[in-house]
Coordinates of all heavy atoms in Angstrom, one line a residue:
M20 N 0.8 -1.2 0.0 CA 0.0 0.0 0.0 C 0.9 1.3 0.0 O 0.7 2.2 -0.8 CB -0.9 0.0 1.2 CG -2.0 1.0 1.2 SD -3.1 0.8 -0.3 CE -3.8 2.4 -0.4
K21 N 1.8 1.3 0.9 CA 2.8 2.4 1.0 C 3.5 2.7 -0.4 O 3.6 3.8 -0.8 CB 3.8 2.1 2.1 CG 3.6 3.1 3.2 CD 4.8 2.9 4.2 CE 4.6 3.7 5.5 NZ 5.4 3.1 6.6
K22 N 3.9 1.5 -1.0 CA 4.6 1.6 -2.2 C 3.7 2.3 -3.3 O 4.2 3.1 -4.1 CB 4.9 0.2 -2.7 CG 6.4 -0.1 -2.5 CD 6.7 -1.4 -3.2 CE 8.0 -2.0 -2.6 NZ 8.1 -3.5 -2.8
V23 N 2.5 2.0 -3.3 CA 1.6 2.6 -4.3 C 1.5 4.1 -4.1 O 1.5 4.9 -5.1 CB 0.2 2.0 -4.2 CG1 -0.8 2.7 -5.1 CG2 0.2 0.5 -4.5
I24 N 1.4 4.5 -2.9 CA 1.3 6.0 -2.6 C 2.6 6.7 -3.0 O 2.5 7.7 -3.7 CB 1.0 6.2 -1.1 CG1 -0.4 5.7 -0.8 CG2 1.1 7.7 -0.7 CD1 -0.7 5.6 0.7
V25 N 3.7 6.1 -2.7 CA 5.0 6.7 -3.0 C 5.1 6.8 -4.6 O 5.4 7.9 -5.1 CB 6.2 5.9 -2.5 CG1 7.5 6.4 -3.1 CG2 6.2 6.0 -1.0
L26 N 4.7 5.8 -5.2 CA 4.8 5.7 -6.7 C 3.8 6.8 -7.3 O 4.2 7.6 -8.2 CB 4.3 4.4 -7.2 CG 5.0 3.9 -8.5 CD1 6.5 3.6 -8.2 CD2 4.3 2.7 -9.1
A27 N 2.6 6.9 -6.7 CA 1.7 7.9 -7.2 C 2.3 9.3 -7.0 O 2.1 10.2 -7.9 CB 0.4 7.8 -6.5
L28 N 2.9 9.6 -5.9 CA 3.5 10.9 -5.6 C 4.6 11.2 -6.6 O 4.7 12.3 -7.2 CB 4.0 10.9 -4.2 CG 3.0 11.2 -3.1 CD1 3.7 11.1 -1.8 CD2 2.3 12.5 -3.3
I29 N 5.4 10.2 -6.9 CA 6.5 10.4 -7.9 C 5.9 10.8 -9.2 O 6.4 11.7 -9.9 CB 7.4 9.2 -8.0 CG1 8.2 9.0 -6.7 CG2 8.3 9.3 -9.2 CD1 8.9 7.7 -6.5
V30 N 4.9 10.1 -9.7 CA 4.3 10.3 -11.0 C 3.7 11.7 -11.0 O 3.9 12.5 -11.9 CB 3.2 9.3 -11.3 CG1 2.4 9.7 -12.5 CG2 3.8 7.9 -11.5
V31 N 2.9 12.1 -10.0 CA 2.3 13.4 -9.9 C 3.4 14.5 -10.0 O 3.3 15.5 -10.7 CB 1.5 13.6 -8.6 CG1 1.1 15.1 -8.4 CG2 0.2 12.8 -8.7
F32 N 4.5 14.3 -9.2 CA 5.5 15.3 -9.2 C 6.2 15.4 -10.5 O 6.5 16.5 -11.0 CB 6.5 14.9 -8.1 CG 7.6 16.0 -7.8 CD1 7.2 17.1 -7.2 CD2 8.9 15.8 -8.3 CE1 8.1 18.1 -7.0 CE2 9.8 16.8 -8.1 CZ 9.4 18.0 -7.4
A33 N 6.5 14.3 -11.2 CA 7.1 14.3 -12.4 C 6.3 15.1 -13.5 O 6.8 16.0 -14.2 CB 7.4 12.9 -12.9
F34 N 5.0 14.9 -13.5 CA 4.1 15.6 -14.4 C 4.1 17.1 -14.1 O 4.1 17.9 -15.0 CB 2.7 15.0 -14.4 CG 2.6 13.8 -15.3 CD1 2.3 12.6 -14.8 CD2 2.7 14.0 -16.7 CE1 2.2 11.5 -15.7 CE2 2.6 12.9 -17.5 CZ 2.3 11.6 -17.0
A35 N 4.0 17.4 -12.8 CA 3.9 18.8 -12.4 C 5.2 19.5 -12.9 O 5.1 20.7 -13.4 CB 3.8 18.9 -10.9
T36 N 6.3 18.9 -12.7 CA 7.6 19.6 -13.1 C 7.7 19.8 -14.6 O 8.0 20.9 -15.0 CB 8.8 18.7 -12.7 OG1 8.6 18.2 -11.4 CG2 10.1 19.5 -12.7
V37 N 7.3 18.8 -15.3 CA 7.3 19.0 -16.8 C 6.3 20.1 -17.2 O 6.7 21.0 -18.0 CB 6.9 17.7 -17.5 CG1 6.7 17.9 -19.0 CG2 8.0 16.6 -17.3
A38 N 5.1 20.1 -16.6 CA 4.1 21.1 -17.0 C 4.6 22.5 -16.7 O 4.4 23.4 -17.4 CB 2.8 20.8 -16.3
M39 N 5.3 22.6 -15.5 CA 5.7 24.0 -15.1 C 6.7 24.6 -16.1 O 6.8 25.8 -16.2 CB 6.3 23.8 -13.7 CG 5.4 24.3 -12.6 SD 6.3 24.5 -11.1 CE 6.7 22.8 -10.6
A40 N 7.5 23.7 -16.6 CA 8.6 24.2 -17.5 C 8.2 24.5 -18.9 O 8.9 25.3 -19.6 CB 9.7 23.2 -17.5
G41 N 7.0 24.0 -19.3 CA 6.8 23.9 -20.7 C 6.0 24.9 -21.5 O 5.3 25.8 -20.9
Y42 N 6.1 24.8 -22.7 CA 5.4 25.7 -23.7 C 3.9 25.6 -23.4 O 3.2 26.6 -23.3 CB 5.7 25.3 -25.1 CG 4.9 26.1 -26.1 CD1 5.3 27.3 -26.7 CD2 3.7 25.6 -26.6 CE1 4.6 28.0 -27.6 CE2 2.9 26.3 -27.5 CZ 3.3 27.5 -28.0 OH 2.6 28.1 -28.9
D43 N 3.4 24.4 -23.3 CA 2.0 24.1 -23.1 C 1.4 24.9 -21.9 O 0.3 25.4 -21.9 CB 1.7 22.6 -22.9 CG 1.7 21.9 -24.3 OD1 1.7 22.6 -25.3 OD2 1.8 20.7 -24.3
D44 N 2.2 24.9 -20.8 CA 1.8 25.6 -19.6 C 2.0 27.1 -19.6 O 1.1 27.9 -19.2 CB 2.5 25.0 -18.4 CG 1.9 25.4 -17.1 OD1 0.7 25.2 -17.0 OD2 2.6 25.9 -16.3
K45 N 3.1 27.5 -20.1 CA 3.5 28.9 -20.0 C 3.1 29.8 -21.2 O 2.8 31.0 -21.1 CB 5.0 29.1 -19.9 CG 5.4 28.7 -18.5 CD 6.8 29.3 -18.3 CE 7.2 29.1 -16.8 NZ 8.6 28.9 -16.7
C46 N 3.0 29.2 -22.4 CA 2.8 30.0 -23.6 C 1.5 29.7 -24.3 O 0.9 30.6 -24.8 CB 4.0 29.7 -24.6 SG 5.6 29.5 -23.8
A47 N 1.1 28.5 -24.2 CA -0.1 28.1 -25.0 C -1.4 28.7 -24.6 O -2.3 28.9 -25.5 CB -0.2 26.5 -25.0
K48 N -1.5 29.2 -23.4 CA -2.7 29.8 -23.0 C -3.0 31.1 -23.7 O -4.1 31.5 -23.9 CB -2.8 30.0 -21.5 CG -1.7 31.0 -21.0 CD -1.7 31.1 -19.5 CE -0.6 32.0 -19.0 NZ 0.2 31.4 -17.9
C49 N -1.9 31.8 -24.2 CA -2.1 32.9 -25.0 C -1.9 32.6 -26.5 O -2.5 33.1 -27.4 CB -1.1 34.0 -24.6 SG -1.4 34.7 -23.0
H50 N -0.9 31.8 -26.7 CA -0.6 31.4 -28.1 C -1.5 30.3 -28.5 O -1.1 29.2 -28.7 CB 0.9 31.0 -28.2 CG 1.8 32.2 -28.1 ND1 2.2 32.9 -29.2 CD2 2.3 32.9 -27.1 CE1 2.9 34.0 -28.8 NE2 3.0 34.0 -27.5
N51 N -2.7 30.7 -28.7 CA -3.8 29.8 -29.0 C -4.5 30.0 -30.3 O -5.5 29.5 -30.6 CB -4.9 29.8 -27.8 CG -5.4 31.2 -27.6 OD1 -5.1 32.1 -28.4 ND2 -6.1 31.4 -26.6
G52 N -3.9 31.0 -31.1 CA -4.4 31.3 -32.4 C -5.5 32.4 -32.3 O -6.0 32.9 -33.3
K53 N -5.8 32.8 -31.1 CA -6.7 34.0 -30.9 C -6.0 35.2 -30.4 O -5.9 36.2 -31.0 CB -7.9 33.5 -30.0 CG -8.8 32.6 -30.6 CD -10.1 32.4 -29.7 CE -10.9 31.3 -30.2 NZ -11.2 30.3 -29.2
T54 N -5.5 35.1 -29.2 CA -4.8 36.2 -28.6 C -3.5 36.4 -29.3 O -3.1 37.6 -29.5 CB -4.4 35.8 -27.1 OG1 -5.6 35.4 -26.5 CG2 -3.9 37.0 -26.4
S55 N -2.8 35.4 -29.7 CA -1.6 35.5 -30.4 C -1.4 34.2 -31.3 O -2.1 33.3 -31.1 CB -0.5 35.7 -29.4 OG -0.5 34.7 -28.5
P56 N -0.4 34.3 -32.2 CA -0.2 33.1 -33.1 C 0.0 31.8 -32.4 O 0.7 31.8 -31.3 CB 1.1 33.5 -33.9 CG 1.4 34.9 -33.5 CD 0.6 35.3 -32.3
D57 N -0.6 30.8 -32.9 CA -0.4 29.5 -32.2 C 0.9 28.8 -32.7 O 1.6 29.3 -33.6 CB -1.7 28.6 -32.4 CG -2.0 28.2 -33.8 OD1 -1.1 28.5 -34.7 OD2 -3.0 27.7 -34.1
K58 N 1.1 27.6 -32.2 CA 2.3 26.9 -32.5 C 2.5 26.7 -34.0 O 3.6 26.9 -34.5 CB 2.1 25.5 -31.8 CG 3.3 24.6 -31.8 CD 3.2 23.7 -30.6 CE 3.1 22.3 -31.0 NZ 2.9 21.4 -29.9
A59 N 1.5 26.3 -34.7 CA 1.6 26.0 -36.1 C 2.0 27.3 -36.9 O 2.9 27.2 -37.7 CB 0.3 25.4 -36.6
K60 N 1.3 28.4 -36.5 CA 1.6 29.7 -37.2 C 3.1 30.1 -36.9 O 3.8 30.5 -37.8 CB 0.7 30.8 -36.6 CG -0.6 30.9 -37.4 CD -0.4 32.1 -38.4 CE -1.3 31.9 -39.6 NZ -2.7 31.5 -39.3
M61 N 3.5 29.9 -35.7 CA 4.9 30.3 -35.4 C 5.9 29.4 -36.0 O 7.0 29.8 -36.4 CB 5.1 30.4 -33.8 CG 4.2 31.5 -33.3 SD 4.8 32.1 -31.7 CE 4.2 30.8 -30.6
L62 N 5.6 28.1 -36.1 CA 6.5 27.2 -36.8 C 6.6 27.6 -38.3 O 7.7 27.4 -38.9 CB 6.0 25.7 -36.7 CG 6.3 25.1 -35.4 CD1 5.7 23.7 -35.3 CD2 7.8 25.0 -35.1
E63 N 5.5 28.1 -38.9 CA 5.5 28.5 -40.2 C 6.4 29.7 -40.4 O 7.2 29.9 -41.4 CB 4.1 28.9 -40.6 CG 3.6 28.4 -41.9 CD 2.1 28.7 -42.0 OE1 1.7 29.9 -42.2 OE2 1.3 27.7 -41.8
K64 N 6.4 30.6 -39.4 CA 7.0 31.9 -39.5 C 8.5 31.8 -39.2 O 9.3 32.5 -39.8 CB 6.3 32.9 -38.6 CG 6.8 34.3 -38.7 CD 5.8 35.3 -38.1 CE 6.4 36.7 -38.0 NZ 5.6 37.6 -37.3
F65 N 8.8 31.0 -38.2 CA 10.2 31.0 -37.7 C 10.9 29.7 -38.1 O 10.3 28.6 -37.9 CB 10.3 31.2 -36.2 CG 9.6 32.5 -35.8 CD1 8.4 32.4 -35.0 CD2 10.1 33.7 -36.1 CE1 7.7 33.6 -34.7 CE2 9.4 34.9 -35.8 CZ 8.3 34.8 -35.0
K66 N 12.1 29.8 -38.6 CA 12.8 28.6 -39.0 C 13.8 28.1 -38.0 O 14.3 27.0 -38.0 CB 13.5 28.9 -40.3 CG 12.5 29.1 -41.5 CD 11.6 27.9 -41.7 CE 10.4 28.3 -42.6 NZ 9.2 27.6 -42.2
T67 N 14.3 29.0 -37.1 CA 15.3 28.6 -36.1 C 14.9 29.1 -34.8 O 14.1 30.1 -34.6 CB 16.7 29.2 -36.5 OG1 16.6 30.6 -36.3 CG2 17.1 28.9 -37.9
A68 N 15.4 28.5 -33.8 CA 15.1 28.9 -32.4 C 15.6 30.3 -32.1 O 14.9 31.1 -31.4 CB 15.8 27.9 -31.4
D69 N 16.7 30.7 -32.8 CA 17.2 32.1 -32.6 C 16.2 33.1 -33.1 O 15.9 34.1 -32.5 CB 18.5 32.3 -33.3 CG 19.7 31.7 -32.5 OD1 19.4 31.4 -31.3 OD2 20.8 31.6 -33.0
D70 N 15.7 32.9 -34.3 CA 14.6 33.7 -34.9 C 13.5 33.9 -33.9 O 12.9 35.0 -33.7 CB 14.1 33.2 -36.2 CG 15.0 33.3 -37.3 OD1 16.1 34.0 -37.2 OD2 14.7 32.8 -38.4
F71 N 13.1 32.8 -33.4 CA 11.9 32.7 -32.5 C 12.1 33.5 -31.2 O 11.3 34.4 -30.9 CB 11.6 31.2 -32.2 CG 10.5 31.0 -31.2 CD1 9.2 30.8 -31.7 CD2 10.7 30.8 -29.9 CE1 8.2 30.5 -30.8 CE2 9.7 30.5 -29.0 CZ 8.4 30.4 -29.5
V72 N 13.3 33.3 -30.6 CA 13.6 34.0 -29.4 C 13.7 35.5 -29.7 O 13.2 36.3 -28.9 CB 14.9 33.5 -28.8 CG1 15.4 34.3 -27.6 CG2 14.7 32.0 -28.3
K73 N 14.4 35.9 -30.8 CA 14.5 37.3 -31.1 C 13.2 37.9 -31.3 O 12.9 39.0 -30.8 CB 15.3 37.4 -32.4 CG 16.8 37.6 -32.1 CD 17.6 38.0 -33.4 CE 19.0 37.6 -33.2 NZ 19.5 36.8 -34.4
A74 N 12.3 37.3 -32.0 CA 10.9 37.8 -32.3 C 10.2 38.0 -31.0 O 9.5 39.0 -30.8 CB 10.2 36.9 -33.3
A75 N 10.3 37.0 -30.1 CA 9.6 37.1 -28.8 C 10.1 38.3 -28.0 O 9.3 39.0 -27.4 CB 9.8 35.8 -28.0
Q76 N 11.4 38.5 -28.1 CA 12.0 39.6 -27.3 C 11.8 40.9 -28.0 O 11.9 42.0 -27.3 CB 13.5 39.3 -27.1 CG 13.7 38.2 -26.1 CD 15.1 37.8 -25.9 OE1 16.0 37.9 -26.8 NE2 15.5 37.4 -24.7
A77 N 11.5 40.9 -29.3 CA 11.2 42.2 -30.0 C 9.7 42.5 -29.9 O 9.3 43.6 -30.4 CB 11.6 42.0 -31.5
S78 N 8.9 41.6 -29.3 CA 7.5 41.9 -29.3 C 7.2 43.1 -28.5 O 7.7 43.4 -27.4 CB 6.8 40.7 -28.7 OG 5.4 41.0 -28.6
K79 N 6.3 43.9 -29.0 CA 5.8 45.1 -28.4 C 4.6 44.9 -27.5 O 4.1 45.8 -26.8 CB 5.4 46.2 -29.4 CG 6.5 46.6 -30.3 CD 7.3 47.8 -29.8 CE 8.3 48.3 -30.8 NZ 9.4 47.3 -31.0
S80 N 4.2 43.6 -27.5 CA 3.0 43.3 -26.7 C 3.3 43.3 -25.2 O 4.2 42.7 -24.7 CB 2.5 41.9 -27.1 OG 1.5 41.6 -26.2
P81 N 2.5 44.0 -24.4 CA 2.7 44.0 -23.0 C 2.5 42.6 -22.4 O 3.1 42.3 -21.3 CB 1.5 45.0 -22.4 CG 0.6 45.2 -23.6 CD 1.3 44.9 -24.8
M82 N 1.8 41.8 -23.1 CA 1.6 40.4 -22.6 C 2.9 39.6 -22.7 O 3.1 38.6 -22.0 CB 0.6 39.7 -23.5 CG -0.8 40.2 -23.2 SD -1.9 39.2 -24.2 CE -3.5 40.0 -23.9
M83 N 3.9 40.0 -23.5 CA 5.1 39.3 -23.6 C 6.2 39.9 -22.7 O 7.3 39.4 -22.6 CB 5.6 39.3 -25.1 CG 4.9 38.4 -26.0 SD 5.1 36.7 -25.5 CE 6.8 36.4 -25.9
K84 N 5.8 41.0 -22.0 CA 6.8 41.7 -21.2 C 7.5 40.9 -20.2 O 8.7 41.0 -20.1 CB 6.1 42.9 -20.5 CG 7.0 44.0 -20.3 CD 6.3 45.3 -19.9 CE 7.3 46.3 -19.6 NZ 6.8 47.5 -18.9
S85 N 6.8 40.0 -19.5 CA 7.4 39.2 -18.5 C 8.4 38.2 -19.0 O 9.1 37.6 -18.3 CB 6.4 38.6 -17.6 OG 5.6 37.7 -18.4
F86 N 8.4 38.0 -20.4 CA 9.3 37.0 -20.9 C 10.6 37.6 -21.6 O 11.4 36.9 -22.1 CB 8.6 36.1 -22.0 CG 7.5 35.3 -21.4 CD1 6.2 35.7 -21.5 CD2 7.8 34.2 -20.7 CE1 5.1 35.0 -21.0 CE2 6.7 33.4 -20.1 CZ 5.4 33.8 -20.2
L87 N 10.6 39.0 -21.7 CA 11.6 39.6 -22.5 C 13.0 39.3 -22.0 O 14.0 39.1 -22.7 CB 11.4 41.1 -22.5 CG 10.1 41.6 -23.2 CD1 10.1 43.1 -23.4 CD2 9.9 40.9 -24.6
D88 N 13.2 39.2 -20.7 CA 14.5 38.9 -20.1 C 14.7 37.4 -19.8 O 15.6 37.1 -19.1 CB 14.8 39.8 -18.9 CG 13.8 39.5 -17.8 OD1 12.8 38.8 -18.0 OD2 13.9 40.0 -16.7
K89 N 13.8 36.6 -20.4 CA 13.9 35.2 -20.1 C 14.3 34.4 -21.3 O 13.6 33.5 -21.7 CB 12.6 34.7 -19.5 CG 12.3 35.3 -18.2 CD 11.3 34.6 -17.4 CE 11.0 35.2 -16.0 NZ 9.6 35.4 -15.8
G90 N 15.4 34.7 -21.8 CA 15.9 34.0 -23.0 C 16.0 32.5 -22.9 O 15.6 31.8 -23.8
D91 N 16.3 32.0 -21.7 CA 16.4 30.6 -21.5 C 15.1 29.9 -21.7 O 15.0 28.9 -22.3 CB 16.9 30.3 -20.1 CG 18.4 30.7 -19.9 OD1 19.0 31.0 -20.9 OD2 18.9 30.6 -18.8
E92 N 14.1 30.5 -21.1 CA 12.7 30.0 -21.2 C 12.2 30.0 -22.6 O 11.6 29.1 -23.1 CB 11.8 30.8 -20.3 CG 11.6 30.2 -18.9 CD 10.7 31.0 -18.0 OE1 9.7 31.5 -18.5 OE2 11.1 31.1 -16.8
L93 N 12.5 31.1 -23.3 CA 12.0 31.2 -24.7 C 12.7 30.2 -25.5 O 12.1 29.6 -26.4 CB 12.3 32.6 -25.2 CG 11.5 33.8 -24.5 CD1 12.1 35.1 -24.9 CD2 10.0 33.7 -24.9
K94 N 14.0 30.0 -25.3 CA 14.7 29.0 -26.0 C 14.2 27.6 -25.8 O 14.1 26.8 -26.7 CB 16.2 29.1 -25.6 CG 17.1 28.4 -26.6 CD 18.3 29.2 -27.0 CE 18.9 28.5 -28.2 NZ 19.9 29.3 -28.9
A95 N 13.9 27.3 -24.5 CA 13.4 26.0 -24.2 C 12.1 25.8 -24.9 O 11.8 24.7 -25.4 CB 13.3 25.9 -22.6
A96 N 11.3 26.8 -24.9 CA 9.9 26.7 -25.5 C 10.1 26.5 -27.0 O 9.4 25.7 -27.6 CB 9.1 28.0 -25.3
A97 N 11.1 27.2 -27.6 CA 11.4 27.0 -29.0 C 11.7 25.5 -29.3 O 11.2 24.9 -30.2 CB 12.5 27.9 -29.5
G98 N 12.6 25.0 -28.5 CA 13.0 23.6 -28.6 C 11.8 22.6 -28.5 O 11.7 21.7 -29.2
E99 N 10.9 23.0 -27.6 CA 9.8 22.1 -27.3 C 8.8 22.1 -28.5 O 8.2 21.0 -28.7 CB 9.1 22.7 -26.1 CG 8.4 21.6 -25.3 CD 7.8 22.2 -24.1 OE1 8.5 22.9 -23.3 OE2 6.6 22.1 -23.9
I100 N 8.7 23.2 -29.2 CA 7.7 23.1 -30.3 C 8.4 22.7 -31.6 O 7.8 22.7 -32.7 CB 7.0 24.5 -30.6 CG1 8.0 25.6 -31.0 CG2 6.2 24.9 -29.4 CD1 7.3 26.9 -31.4
G101 N 9.7 22.3 -31.5 CA 10.4 21.7 -32.6 C 11.4 22.5 -33.4 O 11.8 22.1 -34.5
L102 N 11.7 23.7 -32.9 CA 12.7 24.5 -33.5 C 14.1 24.2 -33.0 O 14.3 23.9 -31.8 CB 12.4 26.0 -33.3 CG 11.2 26.5 -34.0 CD1 10.8 27.9 -33.6 CD2 11.4 26.6 -35.5
K103 N 15.1 24.4 -33.9 CA 16.5 24.2 -33.4 C 17.3 25.4 -33.5 O 17.1 26.2 -34.4 CB 17.1 23.1 -34.2 CG 16.5 21.7 -34.0 CD 17.6 20.6 -34.2 CE 17.0 19.2 -33.9 NZ 16.2 18.7 -35.1
Ligands
HEC20 C1 -0.1 36.6 -21.5 C2 -0.1 36.1 -22.9 C3 1.1 35.6 -23.5 C4 2.0 34.6 -23.0 C5 1.8 33.9 -21.6 C6 3.0 34.4 -23.9 N1 2.8 35.2 -25.0 FE1 4.1 35.3 -26.7 N2 2.9 36.8 -27.4 C7 1.7 37.3 -26.9 C8 1.2 38.4 -27.7 C9 -0.1 39.1 -27.5 C10 2.1 38.5 -28.8 C11 2.0 39.5 -30.0 C12 1.3 38.8 -31.1 C13 1.3 39.5 -32.4 O1 2.2 40.4 -32.5 O2 0.5 39.2 -33.2 C14 3.2 37.6 -28.6 C15 4.3 37.4 -29.4 C16 5.2 36.3 -29.3 C17 6.2 36.0 -30.3 C18 6.5 36.8 -31.6 C19 5.5 36.4 -32.6 C20 5.7 37.1 -33.9 O3 5.0 36.6 -34.9 O4 6.4 38.0 -34.0 C21 6.9 34.9 -29.9 C22 8.0 34.2 -30.6 C23 6.3 34.5 -28.6 N3 5.3 35.4 -28.3 C24 6.7 33.5 -27.9 C25 6.2 33.2 -26.6 C26 6.7 32.1 -25.8 C27 7.9 31.2 -26.1 C28 6.0 32.1 -24.6 C29 6.2 31.2 -23.4 C30 7.5 31.2 -22.7 C31 5.0 33.2 -24.7 N4 5.2 33.8 -26.0 C32 4.1 33.5 -23.8 C33 1.1 36.9 -25.7 C34 1.7 35.9 -24.8

């Protein structure tokens, strides 16, 4: 019984950590094709992770303001949606 609980906790924790770090959690709520371009649109527009990060940091949108100094996060998100 104890083993099951420990295992369940590990699984929950692992999922929570992944979700916290990711594009789906941090970016997709806005980048949904309504508020701002969705994943498919951005993949069409940007060919490299560098382009993507630069565009994100060049954004004039106040909604992107909290990400402007977070190059690492932007880069991670770029990697996650398939840019290199
Ligand atoms: C609070 C809402 C919000 C969140 C959260 C958000 N964005 Fe944005 N983002 C925007 C808006 C609004 C724009 C401007 C869209 C436009 O110009 O059409 C934008 C623009 C961008 C652009 C430039 C798009 C272009 O076509 O020039 C990139 C790249 C981008 N965001 C990446 C990200 C990444 C990566 C994350 C997660 C780390 C993220 N955004 C989180 C709202 C958000």
